[in-house]
């Protein structure tokens, strides 16, 4: 049974930092990433980490957010710096099994950036 455990998030002032973490169990690592959805907006990919070590970021977070992965663990971290009010959203962890290519989602964690 695949499970995703998210941690982090919360309330921070603009310019501040937060770190999100996600641990996936029960799957073979293919991809893990963080998506976000703000009220009235579509869900968007914020940052992703693929099994080959490649990372990708939304243009809006490049230079401010960094995604990393623990060695030999299905754990990814999203370090968010210089946060802006427009980063406010529910952030969801996503993991894809390398073999089955099935996609799994965490329940989401709220990030609120006050101006």
């Amino acid at each position: 049974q695949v499970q995703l455990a998210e941690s982090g998030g919360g309330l921070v002032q603009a310019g501040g930092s937060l770190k999100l973490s996600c641990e996936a169990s029960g799957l073979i690592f293919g991809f893990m990433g963080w998506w976000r959805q703000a009220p009235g907006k579509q869900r968007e990919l914020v940052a992703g980490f693929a099994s080959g070590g490649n990372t990708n970021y939304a243009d809006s977070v490049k230079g401010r957010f960094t995604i990393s992965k623990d060695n030999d663990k299905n754990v990814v971290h999203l370090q968010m710096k210089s946060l802006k009010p427009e980063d406010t959203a529910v952030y969801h962890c996503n993991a894809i099994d390398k073999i089955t290519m099935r996609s799994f989602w965490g329940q989401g964690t709220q990030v609120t950036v006050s101006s």
Side-chain angles (χ1 to χ4, degrees), residues 11-66:
L11 173 64
V12 66
Q13 288 188 330
S17 300
L18 283 174
K19 184 177 181 179
L20 306 180
S21 297
C22 178
E23 180 173 5
S25 59
L27 56 74
I28 297 174
F29 184 91
F31 170 89
M32 287 183 71
W34 285 94
W35 296 66
R36 67 186 180 188
Q37 187 164 22
K41 294 187 177 181
Q42 289 188 329
R43 187 175 292 190
E44 64 170 347
L45 178 63
V46 177
F49 196 111
S51 59
N54 293 328
T55 58
N56 61 297
Y57 297 90
D59 288 342
S60 60
V61 307
K62 286 180 180 177
R64 300 189 296 122
F65 291 11
T66 302

Side-chain angles (χ1 to χ4, degrees), residues 48-105:
F49 196 111
S51 59
N54 293 328
T55 58
N56 61 297
Y57 297 90
D59 288 342
S60 60
V61 307
K62 286 180 180 177
R64 300 189 296 122
F65 291 11
T66 302
I67 191 167
S68 61
K69 178 183 177 297
D70 288 355
N71 289 334
D72 300 325
K73 292 182 180 180
N74 290 346
V75 179
V76 294
H77 307 282
L78 183 66
Q79 179 66 57
M80 304 183 291
K81 297 181 179 180
S82 302
L83 283 161
K84 305 175 181 179
E86 50 263 44
D87 294 318
T88 296
V90 177
Y91 285 68
H92 295 268
C93 179
N94 170 237
I96 298 176
D97 186 285
K98 187 176 183 178
I99 305 301
T100 66
M101 298 302 291
R102 288 185 62 188
S103 180
F104 302 89
W105 293 90

